[in-house]
Amino acid sequence: MALLNALCAVPSMESLESHQALSKQFAMILDFVLAFDDLKMTNPSIQNDFSFYRRMRTREKSFANMEEHTVTNEVANRMSMFYAYPTPMLKMLSSTVSTFVQKNDALPLEHTTDILSTMANLCRCMIEDSNIVARFQQKDTVMFVLRVMVGAIILYDHVHPVGAFHRKSCIDIKGSIKLLKEQPAVSVETLLNALRVASCWW
């Protein structure tokens, strides 16, 4: 991930200040990933629907005109494996970030974990401060910030040796979970579920 490589090249605060556009882009990726998995978890029938599609495709594969509008068996199998995970996008992103950390030995692990913990803590502080929340111009901004916080916590949990839930973690995990539970249950239920199923050390 070139984006993460650029963000982790220097200490976290310096990086977030000097690479604000990249930081926002990374936050938008986390937001998309959590929003996608939110839809996946609130639509559990998607796997059954896709299985039905694959069965129908097999029956109709003899029709040439149908073949033109369907995916290949290989792609269908990969899609089926992808949707088998409770949080498929988080699974892919956490695997990618873990691979990035393993393959970049020259890059200090602390730079990556510091970026993730700093982002998680900043997001928590933003929502805890009513003055900041009052300045949000769009209603969805609170959920955007909460998704980024949860995404950063989960990625931190995957790459840090003792995880995000250890007492020596740089993330205020108790404060973060407390903050989530203070939000309307309908809005954050899937975020709490994502923490439970996608974390390594929950």
Side-chain angles (χ1 to χ4, degrees):
M1 291 180 69
L3 187 152
L4 200 55
N5 191 47
L7 285 175
C8 298
V10 294
S12 60
M13 288 308 297
E14 181 184 343
S15 178
L16 292 174
E17 289 175 3
S18 60
H19 298 98
Q20 293 183 21
L22 290 180
S23 301
K24 181 180 178 182
Q25 198 66 40
F26 186 52
M28 291 173 68
I29 291 171
L30 292 176
D31 174 60
F32 170 79
V33 166
L34 268 295
F36 183 98
D37 286 345
D38 186 345
L39 292 173
K40 166 63 170 59
M41 286 191 284
T42 53
N43 293 278
S45 64
I46 189 169
Q47 282 179 272
N48 293 333
D49 294 343
F50 190 66
S51 296
F52 175 77
Y53 163 78
R54 293 179 69 192
R55 288 195 300 273
M56 293 302 295
R57 181 183 182 281
T58 302
R59 292 175 189 172
E60 297 172 349
K61 66 181 180 180
S62 58
F63 297 97
N65 61 332
M66 289 296 296
E67 272 304 291
E68 293 176 3
H69 302 288
T70 56
V71 296
T72 64
N73 282 329
E74 181 186 355
V75 173
N77 291 336
R78 290 171 64 185
M79 288 175 68
S80 182
M81 291 295 294
F82 175 76
Y83 285 115
Y85 295 106
T87 53
M89 277 292 187
L90 266 175
K91 170 69 178 174
M92 295 298 107
L93 183 60
S94 58
S95 297
T96 301
V97 173
S98 296
T99 302
F100 164 80
V101 170
Q102 292 168 4
K103 289 186 175 181
N104 287 271
D105 296 334
L107 195 67
L109 175 62
E110 293 77 18
H111 284 193
T112 305
T113 55
D114 284 353
I115 281 286
L116 296 171
S117 62
T118 301
M119 288 185 73
N121 289 328
L122 284 174
C123 289
R124 176 183 52 78
C125 291
M126 286 173 67
I127 302 300
E128 286 178 341
D129 191 330
S130 57
N131 293 324
I132 294 177
V133 174
R135 294 203 300 268
F136 290 162
Q137 296 180 352
Q138 298 180 357
K139 295 179 181 178
D140 295 338
T141 304
V142 171
M143 282 306 300
F144 173 85
V145 176
L146 290 174
R147 287 192 196 107
V148 174
M149 180 186 77
V150 171
I153 290 172
I154 292 171
L155 292 182
Y156 180 96
D157 194 56
H158 276 266
V159 300
H160 195 277
V162 297
F165 299 89
H166 194 272
R167 58 188 176 85
K168 292 185 178 179
S169 168
C170 294
I171 295 175
D172 181 1
I173 196 68
K174 289 184 180 179
S176 300
I177 293 175
K178 180 176 179 289
L179 177 66
L180 286 172
K181 290 184 175 180
E182 289 173 351
Q183 310 304 312
V186 177
S187 301
V188 299
E189 183 181 359
T190 52
L191 293 181
L192 288 167
N193 287 337
L195 277 173
R196 293 186 189 102
V197 301
S199 300
C200 290
W201 301 92
W202 173 271

